[in-house]
Amino acid sequence: QGTRDHPPAQTVLRDRLLAAVVACFKRHGAAAIDTPALELRETLTGKYGEEAKLIYELQDQGGELLALRYDLTVPFARYLAMNKITNMKRYHIAKVYRRDNPATTRGRYREFYQCDFDIAGQFDPMIPDAECLKIVHEILSDLQLGDFLIKVNDRRILNGVFAICGIPESKFITTCSTVDKLDKLPWEEVKNEMVGEKGLSPEAVDRIGEYVQLHGGLELIERLLQDPKLSQNKLAKEGLGDMKLLFEYLTLFGITGKISFDLSLARGLDYYTGLIFEAVLLQQENDHVEEPVSVGSVAGGGRYDGLVGMFDPKGRKVPCVGVSIGIERIFSILEQRVKASGEKIRTTETQVLVATPHKHLLAARLKLISELWDAGIKAEMLYKKDPKLLKQLQYCEDTGIPLAAIVGEQELTDGVVKLRDVATREEVRM
């Protein structure tokens, strides 16, 4: 049904992954918030474009119509508007819900975690945007997932391209969601969808094709700024100017090697207004292949300056830019890696097992373990009155407990505890 249980070993791995992401968000000065899993249905509708069909709507039982949250961005915009907040840097890690066709092998589920970092507020152009890209770069580098590429584009540049190619403004958003399929489908198929399903003229689509297949860096931005048609379009010119500024900042951050300005990047959601970006992992198929193959998107985001205004009764806008880390896909990659390496993951943090070598010493074990717990030490014991010492030591080995605190008759008489290092079998009395 597109959901999954996480057994202990997976939960440990996921917590490790989330801890690395949170550490990065905190390093950049974000505060954590939480919002309900349920939102009013009207809060979510009209924000996601063609993706809206994937919203989990709850049955009408009289009263308010509710739905499960689809992402963490729209609830954040609602939160800002409701609380009249005009300036905030926040992160939010929580489950979201999509009535999608699950593809569990690719980390695609109906219930899954999202990890979002957003900067809300009126600031000078592209400084917060550059920081969001730096965060993606830091997280993907820290997790050592292999080679990656962060594609960037701007909705204003795309809309400018559509305008000069003769696409009516009413069809910008639906054209966007078709262009967004270019990373999965060849141009011919995308072209057929635009002409056949979206009703665009073949000539206009061919003109779009000349632009959306371009990708590069600063030199491409310069070239497009000189483009006689595109430079006449106010929106595209603004977008290209900001893109140039962004690349200056990314150069100062030293990360342009992993960034590609890619005109085919569209991102299917309605609410983006400016910069959009997506990070993909690259897989070198073999040494003979020139172009690395993308194994799927692991982070994405962009600027959404109009969303908060939709929830404000007076339509007051709060500019926002943010990034979402695709934790499920990264998790499936790490999981496969752990499986392949045969690494045994410890599922508990127990430091010491309280053990006894012979019968009638349960009271001694209970007293000692209680002292350890009260001192903040993570300790366990077997739930048997008279367990065999071998069994107790075997339990340490099976669960990775490093130490055994052994109390026998002699230790009780001498008022000491024998501490045994499970791995080396060395013992000290203390």
Side-chain angles (χ1 to χ4, degrees), residues 27 59 61 73 92 129 131 137 147 151 156 239 265 305 317 327 350 386:
R27 189 160 62 234
Q59 207 177 338
Q61 294 181 322
T73 310
H92 188 183
D129 309 59
E131 185 167 4
H137 190 280
D147 204 11
K151 301 175 183 180
R156 293 166 297 173
L265 179 68
D305 288 349
K317 290 191 172 180
I327 215 75
T350 309
D386 299 316

Side-chain angles (χ1 to χ4, degrees), residues 284-296:
Q284 256 13 97
E285 286 296 288
N286 53 44
D287 301 339
H288 315 299
V289 177
E290 290 303 307
E291 281 282 301
V293 186
S294 157
V295 290

Side-chain angles (χ1 to χ4, degrees), residues 274-401:
L275 171 79
I276 43 178
F277 56 89
E278 195 161 280
V280 292
L281 292 184
L282 303 174
Q283 193 178 24
Q284 256 13 97
E285 286 296 288
N286 53 44
D287 301 339
H288 315 299
V289 177
E290 290 303 307
E291 281 282 301
V293 186
S294 157
V295 290
S297 159
V298 286
R303 177 160 284 284
Y304 50 101
D305 288 349
L307 196 55
V308 179
M310 288 183 174
F311 298 109
D312 190 290
K314 294 186 177 156
R316 283 174 295 223
K317 290 191 172 180
V318 178
C320 295
V321 63
V323 52
S324 190
I325 306 295
I327 215 75
E328 298 292 344
R329 193 160 281 174
I330 294 172
F331 180 63
S332 12
I333 294 162
L334 292 180
E335 223 181 339
Q336 284 159 3
R337 196 177 285 177
V338 165
K339 236 181 227 153
S341 72
E343 180 198 339
K344 195 167 179 278
I345 292 179
R346 267 202 79 184
T347 56
T348 65
E349 295 182 10
T350 309
Q351 296 159 299
V352 59
L353 181 86
V354 174
T356 40
H358 25 252
K359 291 185 175 181
H360 312 308
L361 289 170
L362 177 60
R365 266 191 299 153
L366 290 172
K367 262 180 79 172
L368 177 58
I369 199 165
S370 184
E371 283 178 40
L372 293 175
W373 286 334
D374 292 345
I377 290 166
K378 296 167 184 157
E380 279 186 77
M381 57 177 258
L382 296 196
Y383 302 126
K384 273 182 88 101
K385 266 165 70 182
D386 299 316
K388 293 193 163 54
L389 184 61
L390 203 61
K391 220 176 187 136
Q392 296 169 88
L393 295 174
Q394 187 58 51
Y395 180 75
C396 291
E397 284 187 16
D398 294 346
T399 57
I401 299 173

Side-chain angles (χ1 to χ4, degrees), residues 22-62:
V22 169
C24 177
F25 291 165
K26 287 183 172 176
R27 189 160 62 234
H28 287 262
I33 70 163
D34 195 15
T35 65
L38 296 173
E39 290 282 352
L40 287 177
R41 204 182 285 182
E42 69 202 42
T43 298
L44 304 185
T45 46
K47 314 293 187 304
Y48 300 110
E50 294 184 358
E51 307 283 311
K53 58 182 184 289
L54 303 181
I55 294 173
Y56 260 113
E57 299 192 358
L58 302 185
Q59 207 177 338
D60 178 6
Q61 294 181 322

